[in-house]
Amino acid sequence: MNPSRRSAGILRWRVALDAVLRGTRTIRGRIFLAFLMLSAITAGLGGYAALGIMTTGELVDKTYDRSLMSINYARAAASDLAALQATVARARLAGDAEERRTLETRIEQLTQSFEEDLEIAADRAQSERATREAAAAKDAVTHWLAARREFGPDRQTVDVWQALDAHAAVAEQHIDLLINFTAGDGFAYRQTARAVVARDVRLSVFATALAIILSGIVSLLLLRQIMRPVADASTVASRIAAGELSVTVPEGGADEFGALLRAMAVMRDNIAAMMQEEVAQRRSAQSLLADAVQGSIEGIVVVDPQGRIVLANERAAALLGFDPAETGHRPLSEARGSAVADTLLAMPGSGTLTAEAQSADGRWLRISRSPTREGGFVAVCSDVSLLKEQEDQLKRSNSQLDAALSNMLQGLCLYDAAGGLLVYNRRFCDMLGLDAGELRTGMSLREVARLVETTSNDGSAFGLLMEQQALLHRGVSGSLCCPIRKDCIVSLKQQPTAEGGWIATYEDVTQRYEAEARIITMARRDALTGLANRMVFGERLEEAAARLEDGSGAGFATLCLDLDRFKEVNDTLGHPVGDGLLRSVAERLQSCLRETDLVARLGGDEFAIVQAGTHARRDASALAKRLIAAFQQPFLLDGHTVTVGLSIGISLAPEHGTSPEKLLKSADLALYRAKATGRGCWSFFEEEMDLELRKRRAMESDLRTAVGNGEFELVFQPIVKLDRQRIATCEALLRWRHPERGYVSPAEFIPLAEETGSICEIGEWVLRKACSEAAKWPGGIGVAVNVSAVQFKNAAVVRAVMEALTASGLPAHRLELEITESVLLNDSVTTLATLHTLKRLGVRVAMDDFGTGFSSLSYLQSFPFDKIKIDQSFVRNLGETGNARLIVRSVVGLGRSLGITTTAEGIETEAQLEQLRLEGCEEGQGYLFSRPVPSATIRELVSTLGRNAA
């Protein structure tokens, strides 16, 4: 290495060492060094602890991740072997060739599963002996299967079975040894982990104690470097603060405390010099004060803490009734009877006070008391008789003027001939947003305007005052009306006075203008959303139709809009949230329209749009798409995320008519078609819609009278126990025999009844009729009744069930209510409360169409259903797809684990029945057993199904 480079390196190290040594000479450096030492101790202790945790973690990993996993897979292999033995035995006894082929396939699957589990168990094993046992078990099973194939598929003798069992017993023995060896390895690792943990605990305790000792040593060394200088500085500061200016300040070192002690010495010297100067100034001031006191026209009295008069000038002595030469050191109490003495002695406390008193000769005195530093006080007595009389006169005048100004409803300003402000009232300040203390007499109108502009930051108020200034320049009276701020409209009236000045009044006419504007708005605007109302919408339709007829306008479109699921929002979140939703909907609708379009609220959640354009159909389609897309985004209202859709019906002029009534009716019919199609879509008017509407209204009318006319009837379809093929329950199914149309499909009239609300009356009739018929059936057969989601929106369903059970005498456990997932979708808390009430009555509750909804499993967790019905779509596909079998198997297993009965719907073939029995399904329903039949046929079905089962 180059000598010059070596010298430079040594020099750099020396410089760095000197910097460190210099740093330790200061308090900050010593504290920083102590911090570095404590940090090193802490880092060493933490590193050791982390190393111990990592070692223990590795042992735990070996114990749990490998040993326990090996045991689990070994047990799984044992289970596979047991299943394999059972399947081989079934294959030996099977007489059907098809069944034997199925069992052979099962044997191959179990063999593969056994080998995979055994291979994983061997791979996870921790010792060679466990691996050997796994290989031996695999060989034993291989020999056993080979022996089975040698003996052939036919039934064998007892010797053959014993030979096969011997091979299987060898495999079981090796698997048991594999489990025992793996468990032993895990126990050994656990013991090792315990030993390592115990060792680490002892070493950690020792290391912690050592770290505490080292930290204490570092702290003591740091204290020795800091405490003594701190004590010296504290002692010196305390003595100086106590006024001991002769204290000797020790010399400090080169650190911060040394600099502090030297600064204290300088401070002591400065204080001594300042005190000497102050003493000289006080002596001079006392001499001047004595001369001033004696020559003052005010009475001045100085009293010490004991209440003795120290000083009193001639004026004060006369007021106290003393001889000026004899007032010194006399108690103030000796002057009782004089107004000054009585007032001073009656003053509470020792602070600064001022009082007024009337002397015996009728003069008014103002007496002010101020405390002295020694605990006494100085009193000043002034004759204010004349001032008192003037103040009284002024107060009377001012009170009268203030009462008049304060009670004025208008703001008022009075200016003199020179344009200076003379009088103003508080109403003027409040109206223009001024603080009354900011105004002063003599201000010009322009100065007041600038103050308004600066203080209230209101340009409109400033503009009003500038217009008033323009009137003054022209020298004319006048009136102005101008809005200031956002909530105030001011009417100004200005006129000259006889003295050459002028007076202005400011009146707040906001309410008058707002009332007029409100009347106009209420007549043409919707109060909730601010949109145009039905009247304005009708006017716009008439205007568009008139322009179309006289040739000055093009075709236009009328759109009727309705919110999907708005009633659910009102029912679940309340009307305030519903009103907020309507306001947000109005804003979103406005954002999708052009300036030439008009949107109006017709009522409730119904809106309408008039859209003008040369291409009415194309423009209306584009607008409908924009609106549908806009409503795919949810609304955030009071912390609730609300999602509603939009259905739109469109009519075109002149294609669908020109009269406003015709266009609006046609758009409404198209809206009905859009909602019937599936909601969240739009539709143009077509001529056949009018015919469909008339049919629907006729059916609504017939449906309302169907119960009273006895047009409904019930049929019953049995639900059979699959193990004994015995009827357990019969499901009540509603049929409508219309006097003109014949039988009407439930799929056609049930949704209409739910929409119109007549389903509640129909549902109560079904409950009464079904319970009455079931009470006549033999053998305790129950009856199942479907309940609509509409019936659960109030508590009437509980009352209807209780009345039906009471009237029929049917035990509650024989009534079963079937509900679908839609019942729980809306207001699930209230619905669950109603369901629990029904359960307490003893009624059974079943979930129909299980598996077709998206949240069926969550509802099983929230409510203890008695039965779940597997939808017929899964049963129908049992023989076609494997997925259907897996779903049915899962639902049956789920019901078995939860203690819930499972019923399969739509059984039509023997193959479906057999498959459901193999899967463990408990009940079944379908055409294979019986179609829906009248109640009188149930007794015959009981005996028929019993004979078929036998």
Side-chain angles (χ1 to χ4, degrees):
M1 182 182 294
N2 192 340
S4 61
R5 292 185 179 178
R6 183 182 304 167
S7 300
I10 294 174
L11 181 60
R12 283 195 297 270
W13 278 104
R14 287 180 178 178
V15 171
L17 182 61
D18 289 341
V20 173
L21 292 176
R22 284 197 303 271
T24 57
R25 295 174 188 169
T26 63
I27 300 300
R28 289 172 293 179
R30 293 167 189 166
I31 293 175
F32 180 69
L33 182 61
F35 171 74
L36 291 178
M37 296 173 67
L38 292 176
S39 298
I41 294 171
T42 304
L45 182 62
Y48 176 77
L51 182 62
I53 292 173
M54 291 171 61
T55 304
T56 306
E58 292 177 358
L59 292 172
V60 170
D61 178 69
K62 288 184 179 180
T63 302
Y64 291 97
D65 185 46
R66 299 184 64 84
S67 299
L68 293 181
M69 188 65 73
S70 178
I71 292 173
N72 288 337
Y73 275 99
R75 289 176 175 171
S79 299
D80 292 339
L81 180 59
L84 189 61
Q85 288 179 294
T87 307
V88 168
R90 289 179 59 188
R92 289 285 181 181
L93 298 176
D96 187 11
E98 181 62 25
E99 181 181 5
R100 184 177 297 173
R101 282 194 298 273
T102 302
L103 293 173
E104 288 296 331
T105 303
R106 176 64 176 164
I107 290 171
E108 292 178 2
Q109 294 175 350
L110 290 173
T111 302
Q112 183 178 359
S113 176
F114 170 79
E115 292 176 353
E116 290 175 354
D117 292 341
L118 198 62
E119 183 178 354
I120 295 175
D123 181 62
R124 294 285 183 173
Q126 299 287 315
S127 61
E128 184 65 28
R129 58 182 183 175
T131 305
R132 288 197 302 271
E133 292 301 328
K138 181 177 180 180
D139 293 341
V141 171
T142 303
H143 293 158
W144 173 54
L145 295 174
R148 186 185 74 84
R149 287 192 294 271
E150 291 178 1
F151 291 137
D154 299 329
R155 300 176 180 266
Q156 303 296 335
T157 63
V158 174
D159 295 337
V160 172
W161 283 106
Q162 290 178 351
L164 291 175
D165 290 343
H167 283 291
V170 171
E172 292 174 354
Q173 180 179 3
H174 286 299
I175 290 175
D176 291 340
L177 289 174
L178 170 60
I179 295 173
N180 292 334
F181 288 161
T182 305
D185 295 339
F187 179 77
Y189 277 112
R190 187 186 67 176
Q191 294 301 108
T192 303
R194 286 182 174 178
V196 171
V197 169
R199 181 198 66 192
D200 287 345
V201 168
R202 291 193 297 272
L203 291 178
S204 296
V205 171
F206 174 75
T208 303
L210 180 60
I212 292 173
I213 293 171
L214 292 176
S215 300
I217 293 172
V218 172
S219 301
L220 288 175
L221 292 175
L222 184 62
L223 286 175
R224 289 186 60 187
Q225 295 295 323
I226 297 176
M227 290 303 295
R228 183 173 178 180
V230 170
D232 292 341
S234 176
T235 301
V236 170
S238 299
R239 295 176 67 181
I240 292 175
E244 188 178 346
L245 300 180
S246 60
V247 62
T248 301
V249 180
E251 294 186 3
D255 55 11
E256 291 90 337
F257 287 110
L260 178 61
L261 290 172
R262 289 190 290 275
M264 287 182 177
V266 175
M267 180 179 66
R268 176 201 61 189
D269 298 338
N270 291 337
I271 292 174
M274 291 171 63
M275 289 184 64
Q276 292 176 1
E277 183 179 357
E278 184 179 355
V279 168
Q281 291 177 353
R282 283 189 177 184
R283 288 174 180 172
S284 176
Q286 286 176 354
S287 177
L288 296 174
L289 178 62
D291 295 339
V293 168
Q294 291 300 331
S296 175
I297 63 172
E298 309 288 344
I300 299 175
V301 181
V302 180
V303 181
D304 64 11
Q306 288 75 33
R308 294 189 301 269
I309 299 175
V310 177
L311 174 66
N313 63 1
E314 293 182 0
R315 180 66 172 164
L319 293 174
L320 291 172
F322 288 156
D323 185 355
E326 298 177 357
T327 55
H329 297 89
R330 294 183 66 175
L332 180 63
S333 59
E334 291 184 3
R336 287 185 183 275
S338 66
V340 174
D342 292 343
T343 302
L344 290 174
L345 292 173
M347 286 183 175
S350 59
T352 300
L353 291 174
T354 299
E356 292 182 353
Q358 192 172 19
S359 64
D361 57 4
R363 291 179 299 170
W364 278 95
L365 302 175
R366 180 173 293 163
I367 304 170
S368 300
R369 186 192 71 181
S370 299
T372 61
R373 192 176 302 172
E374 294 78 11
F377 62 84
V378 177
V380 179
C381 307
S382 304
D383 187 349
V384 292
S385 298
L386 181 59
L387 180 62
K388 190 74 172 176
E389 183 179 354
Q390 294 174 348
E391 286 181 353
D392 290 340
Q393 294 177 356
L394 183 60
K395 284 181 179 177
R396 286 193 297 270
S397 300
N398 288 339
S399 62
Q400 294 171 0
L401 180 60
D402 289 342
L405 294 177
S406 298
N407 291 322
M408 289 183 62
L409 297 178
Q410 297 87 10
L412 179 139
C413 283
L414 177 63
Y415 288 81
D416 58 21
L421 181 63
L422 289 178
V423 178
Y424 62 90
N425 64 356
R426 180 166 293 278
R427 180 60 178 158
F428 169 75
C429 298
D430 295 341
M431 197 175 296
L432 296 183
L434 291 173
D435 186 355
E438 296 177 345
L439 292 177
R440 66 182 185 276
T441 57
M443 293 181 69
S444 66
L445 180 58
R446 187 176 295 276
E447 290 175 335
V448 174
R450 283 199 295 268
L451 183 61
V452 168
E453 183 181 26
T454 304
T455 304
S456 63
N457 195 22
D458 188 353
S460 56
F462 175 77
L464 174 63
L465 296 181
M466 287 295 96
E467 290 184 25
Q468 184 181 355
Q469 181 71 31
L471 288 178
L472 288 177
H473 285 168
R474 294 196 299 270
V476 296
S477 302
S479 299
L480 298 172
C481 188
C482 176
I484 62 174
R485 303 192 304 273
K486 294 181 179 179
D487 56 350
C488 183
I489 301 175
V490 173
S491 175
L492 166 67
K493 293 182 179 180
Q494 180 176 289
Q495 59 186 7
T497 62
E499 293 80 13
W502 49 273
I503 187 170
T505 58
Y506 305 82
E507 182 181 3
D508 185 353
V509 294
T510 307
Q511 293 184 354
R512 185 195 310 164
Y513 277 82
E514 286 181 349
E516 295 174 358
R518 192 178 302 115
I519 292 172
I520 297 173
T521 301
M522 289 175 62
R524 302 184 61 80
R525 291 288 171 181
D526 176 60
L528 178 62
T529 62
L531 297 178
N533 59 12
R534 184 182 292 271
M535 181 182 71
V536 177
F537 182 76
E539 292 176 357
R540 180 63 68 88
L541 270 182
E542 291 177 355
E543 292 173 3
R547 287 195 301 269
L548 183 63
E549 290 179 357
D550 61 22
S552 61
F556 61 93
T558 303
L559 291 81
C560 283
L561 298 79
D562 188 75
L563 298 181
D564 301 332
R565 300 181 299 276
F566 174 73
K567 189 174 185 301
E568 299 175 8
V569 175
N570 263 347
D571 293 342
T572 57
L573 301 180
H575 290 285
V577 176
D579 292 344
L581 175 60
L582 290 176
R583 287 190 288 268
S584 299
V585 166
E587 294 176 359
R588 193 168 292 185
L589 290 175
Q590 288 277 33
S591 65
C592 296
L593 301 183
R594 303 170 302 184
E595 294 183 358
T596 57
D597 301 334
L598 173 72
V599 58
R601 181 183 178 216
L602 304 183
D605 61 335
E606 299 177 5
F607 298 84
I609 296 174
V610 177
Q611 183 191 37
T614 54
H615 304 285
R617 180 176 289 271
R618 185 185 66 187
D619 293 345
S621 299
L623 175 59
K625 292 177 182 178
R626 288 200 307 273
L627 292 172
I628 296 296
F631 277 75
Q632 291 177 355
Q633 299 297 324
F635 294 86
L636 183 60
L637 303 168
D638 295 337
H640 301 283
T641 300
V642 178
T643 302
V644 293
L646 192 66
S647 298
I648 305 173
I650 308 171
S651 63
L652 302 175
E655 181 178 341
H656 300 141
T658 56
S659 68
E661 295 79 8
K662 173 64 176 175
L663 291 172
L664 194 58
K665 178 182 178 182
S666 300
D668 192 57
L669 290 175
L671 173 62
Y672 176 76
R673 169 65 64 85
K675 296 178 74 70
T677 302
R679 302 176 184 265
C681 58
W682 53 277
S683 175
F684 281 102
F685 171 74
E686 297 175 0
E687 293 298 334
E688 63 270 14
M689 292 180 181
D690 197 9
L691 179 60
E692 292 179 2
L693 178 62
R694 288 196 293 269
K695 290 181 179 179
R696 171 186 170 86
R697 289 176 177 171
M699 182 174 288
E700 289 179 4
S701 177
D702 294 343
L703 193 59
R704 283 191 291 268
T705 60
V707 174
N709 295 340
E711 298 174 10
F712 287 116
E713 59 186 40
L714 288 182
V715 292
F716 300 88
Q717 187 174 25
I719 300 175
V720 179
K721 289 283 187 181
L722 297 185
D723 55 350
R724 288 172 288 179
Q725 203 154 323
R726 178 180 59 83
I727 297 178
T729 311
C730 291
E731 181 179 0
L733 302 174
L734 182 63
R735 297 291 184 263
W736 183 16
R737 185 173 56 190
H738 193 277
E740 298 176 0
R741 299 186 182 93
Y743 279 102
V744 181
S745 171
E748 185 177 354
F749 72 83
I750 290 295
L752 183 60
E754 291 180 336
E755 186 175 343
T756 58
S758 58
I759 189 65
C760 296
E761 180 185 3
I762 297 173
E764 293 179 3
W765 179 86
V766 171
L767 275 170
R768 292 194 301 270
K769 184 69 174 177
C771 292
S772 174
E773 294 295 334
K776 306 173 185 177
W777 295 341
I781 297 175
V783 62
V785 179
N786 290 279
V787 183
S788 169
V790 178
Q791 295 176 258
F792 273 86
K793 290 186 177 180
N794 51 56
V797 66
V798 178
R799 176 185 53 79
V801 169
M802 295 176 63
E803 291 178 355
L805 293 175
T806 303
S808 63
L810 183 72
H813 69 271
R814 290 179 60 186
L815 175 61
E816 184 175 289
L817 301 180
E818 294 187 3
I819 66 172
T820 59
E821 182 181 307
S822 60
V823 173
L824 294 166
L825 281 176
N826 300 323
D827 197 8
S828 59
V829 174
T830 303
T831 302
L832 287 175
T834 302
L835 289 174
H836 280 290
T837 302
L838 293 171
K839 287 278 288 185
R840 286 193 293 271
L841 294 177
V843 176
R844 294 168 55 83
V845 181
M847 177 178 279
D848 199 6
D849 301 334
F850 183 80
T852 58
F854 63 90
S855 55
S856 299
L857 293 177
S858 65
Y859 296 138
L860 289 183
Q861 184 180 7
S862 61
F863 182 77
F865 285 93
D866 299 288
K867 179 187 293 186
I868 51 180
K869 300 187 74 173
I870 304 173
D871 189 69
Q872 60 183 348
S873 60
F874 302 121
V875 177
R876 189 184 304 115
N877 297 325
L878 274 177
E880 300 177 4
T881 62
N883 289 337
R885 288 194 300 273
L886 293 176
I887 292 174
V888 170
R889 184 179 305 164
S890 301
V891 174
V892 172
L894 178 64
R896 186 184 303 112
S897 61
L898 295 177
I900 300 175
T901 303
T902 53
T903 300
E905 297 179 308
I907 303 176
E908 298 182 355
T909 65
E910 290 289 346
Q912 293 172 349
L913 175 62
E914 186 61 27
Q915 184 67 38
L916 289 169
R917 282 174 173 169
L918 291 176
E919 298 297 343
C921 186
E922 300 172 65
E923 294 181 353
Q925 177 182 7
Y927 288 172
L928 180 65
F929 305 112
S930 172
R931 291 179 176 271
V933 297
S935 174
T937 315
I938 297 300
R939 289 182 177 273
E940 181 182 347
L941 279 177
V942 171
S943 58
T944 302
L945 290 175
R947 289 194 301 269
N948 293 340

